[in-house]
Amino acid sequence: MPAGSAAPSGGSAAPSAGPSTGSAAPSAGPSAGKVSLSRLRELEREAAAERPRQLDGVSPGVAQLIASIGACEAAHAIALPRSL
């Protein structure tokens, strides 16, 4: 193996198989898509609102990371279309 390349350790490598067919999203009409987007928007808003409560007692670098994640979640909530 060339120097500088890492070999995957046992058990920590990502699975090579695709998503399982048992957990596939149900195929439904446009109304199911609206419900899904609405729920995703709500979850993104809730996650962004939770981030400030996670800042107590963390280092400045971790606080910056948490704030950045919250900003992304807030942007996702706004960017998600109201309908497709």
Side-chain angles (χ1 to χ4, degrees):
M1 185 176 299
S5 64
S9 60
S12 65
S16 60
S20 72
T21 56
S23 64
S27 58
S31 63
K34 286 183 182 180
V35 172
S36 178
L37 285 176
S38 174
R39 180 68 179 138
L40 181 56
R41 224 179 353 269
E42 178 184 336
L43 290 171
E44 291 281 13
R45 277 191 211 112
E46 290 172 2
E50 184 65 27
R51 297 297 170 205
R53 291 185 273 281
Q54 298 172 334
L55 298 176
D56 278 344
V58 299
S59 70
V62 173
Q64 185 177 10
L65 176 63
I66 291 171
S68 296
I69 293 168
C72 289
E73 290 164 336
H76 293 160
I78 291 169
L80 284 168
R82 297 285 173 200
S83 64
L84 291 176

